[in-house]
C-alpha cells in the first residue's frame, strides 16, 4: 500500500471515528506498520471492523485481522495459480 492509499483510509477513519487520535505523527507511525499490506485487504478489514459496530479503534485487532486476511488472500492466489498450472499440464500431457 502506498502513502496516498493509506491517507485515504485515515480520512475514512476520521469520519467514522471522530474520537480517533490520528495526528500526523500517529499516521506516519501507523503507515510503517501497515504499508506491507495490500490496500484492498486493509480496506476490507476497516469496513468489516466498522460494520461490526466497534465504537473505538483497536489497532492491534485491526493489524491482526489485516495480517490474517492478507495471508488468506496470498493463499487463495497461490491455489489459483497452482490449479491453472495443473490444468495446463493435463491439457499438454493428458493421462
Amino acid at each position: 500500500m502506498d502513502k496516498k492509499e493509506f491517507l485515504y483510509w485515515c480520512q475514512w477513519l476520521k469520519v467514522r471515528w471522530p474520537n480517533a487520535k490520528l495526528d500526523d505523527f500517529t499516521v506516519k507511525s501507523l503507515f510503517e506498520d501497515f504499508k506491507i499490506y495490500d490496500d484492498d485487504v486493509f480496506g476490507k478489514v476497516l469496513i468489516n471492523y466498522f460494520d461490526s459496530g466497534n465504537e473505538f479503534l483497536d489497532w492491534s485487532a485491526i493489524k491482526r485481522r489485516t495480517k490474517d486476511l492478507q495471508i488468506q488472500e496470498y493463499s487463495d492466489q497461490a491455489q489459483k495459480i497452482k490449479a491453472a498450472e495443473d490444468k495446463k499440464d493435463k491439457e499438454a500431457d493428458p493421462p
Side-chain angles (χ1 to χ4, degrees), residues 3 8 12 18 20 24 43 64 73-74 91 95:
K3 288 180 184 180
Y8 167 83
W12 186 90
D24 289 344
R64 184 175 51 254
E73 292 282 328
Y74 285 153
E91 289 173 354

Side-chain angles (χ1 to χ4, degrees), residues 4 29 35 37-39 51 73 86 94-95:
K4 186 176 179 181
S29 178
K35 68 183 180 182
Y37 302 108
D38 290 345
D39 172 58
D51 289 345
E73 292 282 328
D86 288 348

Side-chain angles (χ1 to χ4, degrees), residues 18-79:
N19 60 347
K21 307 263 192 274
L22 290 171
D23 57 44
D24 289 344
F25 176 78
T26 303
V27 169
K28 287 177 185 176
S29 178
L30 289 169
F31 176 68
E32 292 302 315
D33 293 340
F34 288 96
K35 68 183 180 182
I36 62 171
Y37 302 108
D38 290 345
D39 172 58
D40 292 342
V41 170
F42 186 61
K44 285 178 190 177
V45 169
L46 293 179
I47 291 169
N48 288 338
Y49 190 81
F50 178 72
D51 289 345
S52 296
N54 292 290
E55 294 183 30
F56 299 97
L57 292 174
D58 179 353
W59 286 107
S60 62
I62 291 170
K63 182 154 186 192
R64 184 175 51 254
R65 291 177 186 185
T66 304
K67 178 183 171 189
D68 291 345
L69 184 57
Q70 186 72 70
I71 291 169
Q72 183 62 46
E73 292 282 328
Y74 285 153
S75 176
D76 292 347
Q77 289 174 4
Q79 289 175 2

